[in-house]
Amino acid sequence: MDYSIDLHIHSALSPCASRDMTPNNIVNMAYIKKLDIISITDHNTMENVENIMKLGEDKNILVIPGIEVTTKEEVHVLCFFEDVKDGLKFSQRIYDSLPYIKNKGNFFKEQLILDTKDEIVGKLDKLLISSCSYTIDEVNKFASLNNGVMVPAHVDRMSYSIISTLGFIPEELQIATIEVSPYGDLKKLKKFMDLSRYKKIVNSDAHDLYNISEAENFIDIDELARKDVIKYLKEKKR
């Protein structure tokens, strides 16, 4: 069965996201746009995920625990988990490996941890958009060890993508799914790289409420369940 998705959304915890990206605003906008499945993928942390998962249940929106990691090579990858506890273990490892560069409010926004009432319950001072100390291979292995899956983010972009940075997708990563930008152009990449072997998902990478996807991108899974989403992202294209 086809379910509408947006698996790349930033909350107000990401220093580059709007302060309007609160748990309730995100879930309500996803509901208005008739999304079935969303994922909160803040930079290098998952501190806002659990509360958004709780709110999603009230709207019958499945929230997948997620995170956008910046690897040592400065490649952006999305990591998704069936169990939030596994995801939080992974998240802590990534966060702890970030260099201590203090977030400066005059350059970036405050990194806010919010509860289910959109009240501020904490802030992270360490700048979240830095690169972690782990290579893409290590991030992939850590995600797998925590029962998760890694998906290279916005592969069609000219910065922070696996292709623009490495020039290729390493076979040893055993990638099954890649993310493409909503208005991306894969034709240029196809000239020198065969991407037909990969499943492709399209997400918004929303940093503002109005950028959250409409119900126009879908995945075909058996049930509206986290295990089915993770299975879909892990399985190679037939």
Side-chain angles (χ1 to χ4, degrees), residues 1 175-177 195-200 220-222 228 231-238:
M1 184 173 178
I175 297 298
T177 305
L195 297 175
S196 63
R197 75 187 77 174
Y198 303 106
K199 291 179 181 174
K200 300 170 185 67
D220 182 9
I221 54 179
D222 293 332
D228 284 35
K231 179 182 177 183
Y232 176 90
L233 296 173
K234 282 184 175 181
E235 286 186 341
K236 294 287 184 94
K237 184 177 179 181
R238 295 175 183 176

Side-chain angles (χ1 to χ4, degrees), residues 55-74:
L55 292 170
E57 291 176 3
D58 295 335
K59 298 288 188 181
N60 198 32
I61 295 172
L62 184 68
V63 181
I64 306 298
I67 180 173
E68 183 172 19
V69 178
T70 305
T71 72
K72 188 175 183 178
E73 303 92 342
E74 296 195 340

Side-chain angles (χ1 to χ4, degrees), residues 81-91 145-148:
F81 303 87
E82 178 181 343
D83 190 318
V84 68
K85 291 181 180 178
D86 289 331
L88 289 171
K89 288 179 185 177
F90 173 87
S91 169
L145 286 171
N146 285 279
N147 304 307

Side-chain angles (χ1 to χ4, degrees), residues 1-235:
M1 184 173 178
D2 286 342
Y3 292 97
S4 56
I5 63 164
D6 189 348
L7 300 180
H8 192 167
I9 299 173
H10 291 269
S11 80
L13 183 52
S14 290
C16 43
S18 166
R19 299 304 83 181
D20 291 335
M21 296 298 272
T22 64
N24 281 281
N25 283 349
I26 290 171
V27 171
N28 287 332
M29 183 60 78
Y31 180 78
I32 289 170
K33 294 193 172 189
K34 302 185 185 307
L35 292 173
D36 298 310
I37 309 168
I38 65 172
S39 183
I40 306 307
T41 50
D42 285 311
H43 290 288
N44 296 313
T45 185
M46 288 176 58
E47 289 292 330
N48 272 344
V49 168
E50 282 190 287
N51 286 327
I52 297 177
M53 289 174 69
K54 293 174 184 175
L55 292 170
E57 291 176 3
D58 295 335
K59 298 288 188 181
N60 198 32
I61 295 172
L62 184 68
V63 181
I64 306 298
I67 180 173
E68 183 172 19
V69 178
T70 305
T71 72
K72 188 175 183 178
E73 303 92 342
E74 296 195 340
V75 175
H76 285 189
V77 294
L78 302 171
C79 296
F80 302 105
F81 303 87
E82 178 181 343
D83 190 318
V84 68
K85 291 181 180 178
D86 289 331
L88 289 171
K89 288 179 185 177
F90 173 87
S91 169
Q92 192 63 55
R93 182 193 287 264
I94 298 299
Y95 180 80
D96 288 346
S97 81
L98 296 176
Y100 190 82
I101 300 172
K102 187 175 176 62
N103 181 31
K104 296 181 180 180
N106 55 326
F107 289 105
F108 298 104
K109 300 181 180 71
E110 290 182 302
Q111 300 171 152
L112 305 178
I113 301 172
L114 303 161
D115 65 15
T116 55
K117 296 182 180 179
D118 292 349
E119 298 289 337
I120 298 172
V121 294
K123 299 178 183 179
L124 294 182
D125 290 328
K126 191 192 291 188
L127 184 63
L128 293 174
I129 58 172
S130 303
S131 296
C132 74
S133 65
Y134 298 118
T135 66
I136 192 169
D137 182 60
E138 290 172 322
V139 171
N140 190 44
K141 288 176 180 176
F142 294 149
S144 181
L145 286 171
N146 285 279
N147 304 307
V149 58
M150 186 181 82
V151 174
H154 40 68
V155 300
D156 51 310
R157 290 189 188 172
M158 296 305 294
S159 59
Y160 297 112
S161 73
I162 191 169
I163 295 175
S164 67
T165 303
L166 302 184
F168 67 109
I169 301 176
E171 290 287 343
E172 59 268 25
L173 294 178
Q174 293 294 299
I175 297 298
T177 305
I178 58 176
E179 181 197 51
V180 180
S181 304
Y183 306 106
D185 183 4
L186 288 181
K187 292 180 180 179
K188 294 179 182 178
L189 295 178
K190 288 178 180 178
K191 291 180 180 179
F192 64 92
M193 182 175 298
D194 180 15
L195 297 175
S196 63
R197 75 187 77 174
Y198 303 106
K199 291 179 181 174
K200 300 170 185 67
I201 55 172
V202 179
N203 301 307
S204 68
D205 190 7
H207 290 67
D208 300 276
L209 288 171
Y210 61 83
N211 281 326
I212 292 175
S213 293
E214 302 288 342
E216 55 192 14
N217 304 303
F218 301 85
I219 59 173
D220 182 9
I221 54 179
D222 293 332
E223 297 179 31
L224 188 61
R226 292 186 186 93
K227 63 178 178 59
D228 284 35
V229 176
I230 300 303
K231 179 182 177 183
Y232 176 90
L233 296 173
K234 282 184 175 181
E235 286 186 341

